[in-house]
Amino acid sequence: MTPLASLAALICVGIGVDFSGQALAEQDLRDRAGHCARESAQGVPLGAITALNAVASAYQCLSAQGMTGTVQLVDDTLVIRTSGTYRTKILTIIAIDQLPIRGTASAVVLQGR
């Protein structure tokens, strides 16, 4: 009975540790996507911003951050969607080696404003 209780306790700790780690990794992913969205949509001198170079700049920023994702222009808003994985620390004992993470960020393109 004691080994089973110990395993159950370890799994509960693993859930807490790994799901909080996943949440932190996902927040970091969203922060970096947000940085790319703002920098690409608003960080260029106003006369130089166009929809096409904002999208290209966003892809360059994602690459520089070591991320992959998709960039869309919806009306005048640049939308970046990224995804990745969080490598678990404790849940590997029950064959859960990774958890998915996703991030979305957007910024308004300031062309001509």
Side-chain angles (χ1 to χ4, degrees), residues 36 40 54-64 67 69-72 80:
C36 287
S40 301
V55 170
S57 176
Y59 277 115
Q60 288 174 351
C61 183
L62 285 173
S63 179
M67 299 169 27
T70 60
V71 179
Q72 286 182 299
I80 297 176

Side-chain angles (χ1 to χ4, degrees), residues 35-106:
H35 165 77
C36 287
R38 287 186 304 277
E39 180 180 286
S40 301
Q42 302 167 350
V44 181
L46 286 180
I49 296 177
T50 66
L52 290 178
N53 70 13
V55 170
S57 176
Y59 277 115
Q60 288 174 351
C61 183
L62 285 173
S63 179
Q65 294 274 335
M67 299 169 27
T68 59
T70 60
V71 179
Q72 286 182 299
L73 196 60
V74 180
D75 296 324
D76 63 346
T77 303
L78 188 69
V79 180
I80 297 176
R81 290 182 180 84
T82 60
S83 62
T85 56
Y86 168 75
R87 301 263 179 220
T88 60
K89 309 289 188 259
I90 298 175
L91 290 179
T92 56
I93 64 170
I94 58 170
I96 300 174
D97 297 325
Q98 60 188 20
L99 298 169
I101 56 175
R102 292 176 187 84
T104 300
S106 61

